[in-house]
Every structure is written in structure tokens, then in C-alpha cells.
Amino acid sequence: MDIARHWRLRRQRYALEGEQCRHCGEYIFPPRDICPHCGEEAGPVRRMSGKGEVYSFTVVHEPPTGYEAQAPYAVALVRLAEGPLITAQLTDIDAAEIKIGMPVEMVTRRLRTDGEDGLIQYGYKFRPQLTTP
Amino acid sequence: MREVVIQGIGQTPVEEHWERSLRDLAAEAGLAAMRDAGVERIDAVFVGNMLSGQIARQENLGALTADWIGQRGAEGYKVEAACASGAAAFRAAFLAVASGALDAVLAIGVEKMTETSGPETTAALVSAADADYEGVQGISFVGLNALIMRRYLHEFGWKHTDFGEFSINAHANGARNPHARLRQPITERDYVRARMICEPINLLDASPIGDGAAAALLLPVEKAPSGPRPRVVVAGSAAASDSVAVHDRKDPLFLSAAHLGAKRAYAQAGVGPEQIDFFELHDAFSILAALSLEACGFAERGQGPRLALEGAIRLDGRLPVCTQGGLKARGHPVGATGMYQIVEAAQQLRGEAGGNQLAKARTALTQNIGGSGASIYTHILQRKKI
Ligand SMILES: [Zn+2]
């Protein structure tokens, strides 16, 4: 994963920066040119709150290259409070305790320990909500 | 549009072909299809393949394949649509002939997957997902389907064991297919006891990878010499897309591209789900089989597993599914799979399906899924009197 690509995505990876469509009001993550809900031009920029709940989850035991050191790890579909679904690893939780519907919140963690360029990649993961929503 | 005939078919077994290269496999299936059709010169070859660049470091498969089958000078293309690359190549070939632009066109699906290590293959396969927002989280392709299956169980109240019949049926049929990767039947007990690979997906919910190639030679009906064999025509050909990322779907539990494609193909062929005699569906994972049955109009939302539990999908049921073993037992050499489905459907329609031959095989539905529902190619093939 090259450095320019990671740099390009920093606002999404570190701040969950998305959009809210000015035409239909839907929230969009990640940002794009055309709103997938109404087909009009998307925007303006909005940050997601980072709060959400688990829509589905699984545990990866046979990881792709670059993720071996972390395995096994849980990956979930998280329904953000603003509406969009997002795919993210769950952290700070025992796999046996994960449940559909449980409240989670975004944290910044290391995603890949060793990229092809030796880059340490950080980004969002989700943990059980500590603060009251 | 001209009517298009599948004049010739060819396939290699799905195996770990350690002695055969990507180009050898493509050539073997392609030449078999040309021989079967009695065609010596082709205008073009469309090669469906997903991973040659990542695994064999080989692109430019169109020209390479044309050369390797003795057809230098013919047009050549590689068509990539993840695990639907095979049927995408077939549709491209179909469009070329139907439009009147070209006459004799070969569609080949080929994949060589057993040359890389497990994690490398896993990483290559997940390139069919959204790299920036799914792949980066370390999800595997099995994992994406596990996310879908877990929510499906939660939403519709099925138990994992309710999916076993999809795999049992596929293995029963695969056992009689000489080209299948897995040729042993399995029992309900085997299914329940299978090793979990990505919960709730166990080893018997997932199709095995492999190396292989399958091919079809297409001609316009007016140039297709008639013979003693029944003629197989392409009655419907359609494709549709959905978001690449599962999390971007309006409804992650509905294959909208399968629904759209089926609707378009039914309209072209002038048939509905009731007229389909058998369905070669894309059972890369048992959850996908259930979702396909629902999207193509054979089951209500959330009721896909019921068809399997009732035995409707068996060879003697009202909608036989995966009649030569499906992806689960024939094997899933990703970019070749869609062409295996089409070749196997053509065998049924010709009455050449051996121990798995259906009593009634006039109209077939084949559907090839790329990504976890992003690129879907749907075809209706029919047997026609000469
Ligand atoms: Zn909008």
C-alpha cells in the first residue's frame, strides 16, 4: 500500500470525514461525487460522530498477506449513528462477547503492521462504547 | 440482433494442474470447443480471467491465447469482472456475434490459482472487494460473505444447519461429474461437523479454489451448420452491477444485480421463473445460493433455504440447482467458473450430462456472481429443434 494512497485517504481514516447530501439529506461515507441515494451532486463535507452499532460481524482466522500478525481478529459491519454502514475491525473486545446491535465507537489503531513500503498504516477501528451515547 | 448458437463446448477438469500453465489450460478448453464445433478459424477470442496479473504476472491474455490456439491475427481480449469474469467474457462474445460485427467467436474462462501461498491467494481474491474501505481492514472474501450470512441468520431466523442441503446436493451431483474437483458425497453429519473457517461459514459452506478452463464457440444461427445434436441458443443475456463494497448496498441481504439481470434475461427470452427447468447458480458460499434463489424469483425474501430443505433443488426436484456439482463440488477457479456453468448447462440441454442428466432440460438459467454481488451476469440457454 503506497504512501500517496494512504495520505489521500487520511481524512476518512482518521476523522471519518464523509458528506451530507444537500439534496436528499442522507449522510454518505466515504465522500464521492454523486449521491448514491438521489443521484444529485453529493456534499457538503461532514464528519461522522464515530458512534454506531454492530450490524454483523465475523472473525478472520485466515488473513490476507500483511495481516497475519494480528490474526484472529474480528471484523464488523457497523451502522453509524448518521446512517451509513462501514466495514471495520473491532478492537478491545473478546470475540465471544460481540453481539449484533451492540453500541460501538470509533478509535484510531494500527491497521497494518508492515506495508510494502515499510509504512505503518493507521486508521479507524471500533470498540464497545465507553461513553454514554 | 442475430440469434446466437453455442456450437461447441470444451472444458478441463478442475484440479491442481501443477504441470499445466494458464495458457495451456486456456488453449486446451478453447481448442476442445473449436473441435466440438468443427470450426477451424475464429474472428475473436474473449478470455475471462480474474487473477492472471496478480498470480502469474501475466496480462495481455487475449493475444496470448489467440497465439496459443493457432489463431494469430484474431482479435483478443481479456475480460475481468472478478469471479464473474467467465460469464462476462461469454456475454462480450455473445454481443459481438449478436450485433453482426463478428461471426465465429470463442469465449474462454480460465484461472490458475494453486501457484501462490494461502495468504497471497486470499489477498488476491479480496481485490474483488473495495480495496480502500474493505480490503484495508483485513477482511477476507470469505469474511465478507460471513458478514452477510450472519446478518441473514439474524434477520430471517434460520439456523446454520438449514443451509446444509445446498452443499449436500452439490456434492451428490459433483460425485458423478468427471470434471469436478471434489467427487465424494457428503452427509448432514459431515456438514454439521465441518471445521469453522469464518463464522458462521464452515468448510462445507465454501467452494474450493482450483485450476481450470472452460470454453464455448459461438456462431450466428444462419452460419451454424445443423447436425444430429440439439441446437443450444442464447435466449437471454443480461448483466447488472451493484456497489462493490457490501457496506454501500441499500440492502446487503438482497442481490439487486441478480434481480435486475434475471428480470432483463427473462424479458429477452420471453419466459418467467416457472419456465426454467434448472438453474446453474453461483454457490461460492451456501448463503449466496439462497440469495440467488430469492433474487431470481424462485423464493420469497428470506426463504431461499426452504427450497433446499424441501428437496426442490435436487436432480428430481422442481428446480434442480448446480446439476454438475456447482462451485461447491466442481470447484471454483474464479475467472473460469462462469464458463463452466454455461458449458454444463449446454451439456444438459444437449442430453450429454451423463449420470446427472435431467429428464426435462429445455430451458436453463445460469448466473455468475463477481465480488460479493457487485458484477452479475445472467444467461438463459435453450434447446431448439433444428
Ligand atoms: Zn442525495
Side-chain angles (χ1 to χ4, degrees), chain A residues 21 23-24 35 37-39:
Chain A
C21 178
H23 304 280
C24 70
C35 172
H37 303 284
C38 70

Side-chain angles (χ1 to χ4, degrees), chain A residues 73-88:
Chain A
Y73 47 88
V75 184
L77 287 169
V78 172
R79 176 72 73 192
L80 296 173
E82 291 80 5
L85 265 184
I86 187 171
T87 303

Side-chain angles (χ1 to χ4, degrees), chain A residues 6-56:
Chain A
H6 191 57
W7 178 250
R8 212 158 54 226
L9 293 164
R10 68 195 181 281
R11 291 198 189 86
Q12 284 77 57
R13 297 253 166 94
Y14 299 150
L16 285 185
E17 196 174 282
E19 292 167 319
Q20 185 182 18
C21 178
R22 62 170 63 83
H23 304 280
C24 70
E26 296 278 352
Y27 284 83
I28 303 161
F29 181 87
R32 44 167 94 199
D33 292 341
I34 302 294
C35 172
H37 303 284
C38 70
E40 298 291 327
E41 198 179 323
V45 166
R46 289 272 190 277
R47 273 174 83 150
M48 305 293 135
S49 63
K51 300 278 196 286
E53 63 172 54
V54 172
Y55 174 87
S56 191

Side-chain angles (χ1 to χ4, degrees), chain A residues 50-72:
Chain A
K51 300 278 196 286
E53 63 172 54
V54 172
Y55 174 87
S56 191
F57 65 96
T58 189
V59 176
V60 176
H61 293 272
E62 290 168 19
T65 327
Y67 297 86
E68 294 95 332
Q70 306 173 44

